[in-house]
Amino acid sequence: MKPFPDAKSTTPLRRLKIPPILRSRYSWRWIIVLIFLSCYLFSLPPFPRPLPKYSGPYPVGAVDVEIPLTSPRIIDTAQFKKTKANAFELNTVLFTLYYPSVQHATSRRPKHNWVPKPISVTGEGYAKFARVNNFIMKKVFTGALKALVGHIPIPANVDVPLAGLASTVMSIPEIQNVNTEIEKVIQIEKGGHPVIVFSHGMASSRTDYTHYAGELASRGYIVALLEHRDGSCPGSVVMQHGKPDQVKLTFDVPEVETIKGKDLTVDEFKRAQLDFREAEIEETVRVLKLINEGQGKEVFKSNMRDEGVDFLNWEGRLNTDEMIVAGHSYGATGAMQALRGGPSGRRPFKGGVILDPGKQSGQLNDDIRVPVLVIHSNSWSSKYSLFYGRAHFDMVRDIVENNVLRGMPSWFATSLGTSHPSVTDAPLLEPLLLSWTTGARIDVYEGLRQYMHVTENFLWFLSTGEKRGLLREKAEFPQYDEGKGFGMWKPAQGENEKTGGSWYNWRRYWQVHVSPN
């Protein structure tokens, strides 16, 4: 079953030289903002595409959840220089749940917007990222976003009932043609719907990975897309009972200081951000456990986003004892930190999906004691980056290898032809422009399809112990190999480019660097 439209061609595109300004850690976000801003200012049509529908056997539901903490948590004592307010005080946790919903469910609510309202918050956040946050540029960025992508909805139905377990829907006539998919889902739902907590990257938000999350949800998984208030999100609205809404914009090292008035180092700031992200992950786990334990009605009443009316019927239907943590870029670094020391009550993660772990987001945790799948985009592996005195690629590879030596089946692979934003929604909205500006050589639908298939195979392994697809292959590339085409193709296992077959299909798109096989 294909989650996206068929790729018209898998012929590699010519790699173009990228201007240095677009090569920063914010590159893909800056690219799409610059594209939209240019189109807006010069009246050029960007023609953003709608987000594709999901392809799994289930329809997909979505619920925004913002829940106050029992008591605020000050994660780090750093404070803003101007206001002296705590920079890393956690009062509420905000995430969107993507989940399998019942067939033919009708929502009374409009679909969520890809750029959440008020759009002015995101617009001002981008202006601040660009260091041009004044009255005029705030209006310009907001106007550009509103005119060009403000109308784009996320396809998931809002606040519809959670689907029953797969075994209860086998007889529905409309899905008889996907019974094979349903049979797969039955195997992963033995302890309830599996739960994935996903952490976004720098200059991103909870709405940047909706299609990746929605595809997993359409296959029986529940995905909580977090929105971090650690300074990495362009802008987020914090809602609390009895208090006016608070806009929390992006912030960086120069804006904060210690309680003694001293500047923070970059490493100290990154540590505070990662600790804050870990606390938000833990609070998300807490809320999901409350729902599963039968307190869904209370969670709904506490939800500042006024969604989740069906939570009272979610009792006992989530596997909250064995969750999965995932993340992209800065979020991948945060996900690795959440795996520190192995599963615990606050962090009950039996595995991790790590996508392009950050190169400028602090040290990578190597104390991992559960299986992990680490995926590098082509651009992440191909570009040499010095990381705490070593090559970033080598450090990531060694972390995964050491985890295998500890007896934890783990994988590290490069998705060939892809770029850093390939797993996000951005290429789906602007496929041609994103391919040109990021140097991606693979059709954007095929790139995200490959990410989905490998992720699904890893989640299947965590549930059943069976290795499928790419996970069955041996590691043949200790280092990234530029090779030819998308990668280095070598005849093996009796198959080659002429005969094709499953080996050729995976080798065309992947290089495996670490494998337990």
Side-chain angles (χ1 to χ4, degrees):
M1 181 165 291
K2 299 179 180 179
F4 313 103
D6 286 327
K8 294 181 179 179
S9 172
T10 53
T11 302
L13 300 175
R14 182 180 178 183
R15 184 182 293 276
L16 301 176
K17 291 186 177 180
I18 310 302
I21 193 173
L22 299 181
R23 296 175 184 163
S24 73
R25 59 182 169 150
Y26 310 123
S27 59
W28 76 267
R29 266 287 177 175
W30 284 122
I31 290 163
I32 197 167
V33 170
L34 288 173
I35 290 169
F36 289 160
L37 192 58
S38 299
C39 293
Y40 177 73
L41 292 176
F42 299 104
S43 299
L44 300 175
F47 300 121
R49 297 186 182 182
L51 291 169
K53 295 181 179 180
Y54 311 114
S55 67
Y58 289 111
V60 175
V63 172
D64 280 342
V65 180
E66 182 162 18
I67 302 296
L69 276 64
T70 305
S71 58
R73 294 173 61 182
I74 298 177
I75 310 303
D76 188 274
T77 56
Q79 59 189 18
F80 290 110
K81 290 180 180 179
K82 289 185 177 180
T83 65
K84 306 304 179 184
N86 292 316
F88 296 102
E89 179 176 345
L90 181 59
N91 295 294
T92 73
V93 63
L94 172 62
F95 55 91
T96 301
L97 286 175
Y98 289 84
Y99 57 92
S101 70
V102 298
Q103 298 288 330
H104 308 303
T106 301
S107 175
R108 296 181 179 179
R109 297 177 178 270
K111 289 181 168 58
H112 291 156
N113 292 317
W114 188 67
V115 179
K117 294 182 178 180
I119 295 178
S120 59
V121 172
T122 304
E124 185 176 1
Y126 283 141
K128 192 174 181 184
F129 268 124
R131 295 180 173 84
V132 291
N133 187 22
N134 54 54
F135 178 79
I136 294 176
M137 292 308 297
K138 173 185 173 181
K139 295 292 185 182
V140 169
F141 274 78
T142 300
L145 287 170
K146 186 178 295 184
L148 302 172
V149 292
H151 63 285
I152 294 179
I154 297 169
N157 293 317
V158 175
D159 214 0
V160 290
L162 175 68
L165 297 182
S167 57
T168 67
V169 297
M170 282 289 289
S171 61
I172 298 177
E174 290 83 352
I175 59 173
Q176 288 299 311
N177 60 330
V178 289
N179 271 355
T180 300
E181 292 295 320
I182 291 292
E183 289 170 0
K184 293 179 183 177
V185 175
I186 291 174
Q187 296 298 313
I188 66 170
E189 289 182 349
K190 290 181 178 178
H193 292 285
V195 179
I196 303 164
V197 178
F198 191 98
S199 175
H200 67 70
M202 175 61 73
S204 300
S205 73
R206 73 187 192 279
T207 65
D208 289 303
Y209 306 86
T210 67
H211 205 75
Y212 180 78
E215 281 297 328
L216 291 172
S218 73
R219 286 156 172 75
Y221 297 93
I222 293 177
V223 185
L225 288 186
L226 262 163
E227 181 151 294
H228 294 293
R229 274 75 175 262
D230 64 337
S232 64
C233 179
S236 184
V237 178
V238 181
M239 297 181 178
Q240 300 182 71
H241 290 287
K243 296 182 179 181
D245 293 350
Q246 176 190 2
V247 174
K248 194 163 187 180
L249 296 175
T250 177
F251 60 92
D252 210 342
V253 184
E255 299 175 62
V256 298
E257 62 185 10
T258 68
I259 54 176
K260 295 183 178 180
K262 295 183 178 180
D263 290 337
L264 271 69
T265 66
V266 173
D267 279 347
E268 288 172 338
F269 183 78
K270 296 297 182 185
R271 174 50 51 197
Q273 283 189 311
L274 288 171
D275 288 345
F276 195 86
R277 282 171 170 254
E278 183 175 335
E280 288 176 306
I281 289 172
E282 291 176 352
E283 290 299 328
T284 300
V285 169
R286 178 183 69 85
V287 174
L288 291 171
K289 285 190 172 185
L290 289 175
I291 295 172
N292 196 54
E293 291 168 359
Q295 299 185 49
K297 186 175 181 179
E298 289 73 16
V299 170
F300 169 61
K301 289 181 178 179
S302 300
N303 185 8
M304 292 302 302
R305 303 291 167 145
D306 195 31
E307 295 178 6
V309 67
D310 189 55
F311 281 165
L312 75 165
N313 295 316
W314 287 33
E315 181 177 359
R317 299 167 68 184
L318 314 184
N319 187 350
T320 54
D321 293 329
E322 297 179 321
M323 299 189 192
I324 300 100
V325 66
H328 176 242
S329 196
Y330 206 161
T333 304
M336 292 176 73
Q337 173 162 322
L339 292 172
R340 186 181 67 255
S344 66
R346 285 188 170 187
R347 294 175 276 114
F349 302 121
K350 66 175 181 179
V353 179
I354 312 299
L355 310 175
D356 276 359
K359 295 183 177 182
Q360 297 181 2
S361 51
Q363 283 276 16
L364 300 177
N365 169 52
D366 60 358
D367 182 17
I368 298 173
R369 302 168 189 271
V370 295
V372 293
L373 170 68
V374 180
I375 298 176
H376 268 193
S377 63
N378 202 125
S379 62
W380 222 238
S381 285
S382 62
K383 183 180 179 181
Y384 177 85
S385 301
L386 191 63
F387 187 75
Y388 292 93
R390 294 187 61 199
H392 178 270
F393 181 97
D394 293 345
M395 186 169 289
V396 173
R397 182 198 59 216
D398 289 353
I399 289 174
V400 181
E401 284 183 341
N402 289 337
N403 203 41
V404 172
L405 291 176
R406 283 193 285 265
M408 296 291 107
S410 299
W411 291 263
F412 174 32
T414 295
S415 175
L416 301 174
T418 56
S419 61
H420 192 50
S422 288
V423 73
T424 72
D425 292 344
L428 301 177
L429 298 172
E430 288 288 353
L432 295 178
L433 290 174
L434 266 293
S435 294
W436 177 73
T437 52
T438 64
R441 295 177 291 172
I442 192 172
D443 179 274
V444 295
Y445 297 107
E446 185 62 50
L448 196 43
R449 184 179 5 245
Q450 291 295 322
Y451 272 95
M452 268 300 310
H453 288 334
V454 175
T455 301
E456 188 181 9
N457 286 340
F458 177 69
L459 298 175
W460 174 268
F461 168 78
L462 292 178
S463 295
T464 68
E466 179 189 357
K467 298 174 184 176
R468 303 190 309 184
L470 187 70
L471 305 192
R472 299 174 58 186
E473 305 302 331
K474 295 180 180 180
E476 297 183 272
F477 296 88
Q479 292 289 336
Y480 168 78
D481 194 331
E482 188 68 36
K484 65 176 184 177
F486 287 154
M488 179 64 75
W489 300 341
K490 297 178 180 178
Q493 303 176 12
E495 296 178 317
N496 56 38
E497 294 180 46
K498 293 182 179 179
T499 59
S502 60
W503 170 85
Y504 170 73
N505 290 337
W506 76 255
R507 178 64 71 82
R508 182 171 177 78
Y509 298 111
W510 294 95
Q511 286 180 7
V512 181
H513 310 299
V514 179
S515 170
N517 300 324

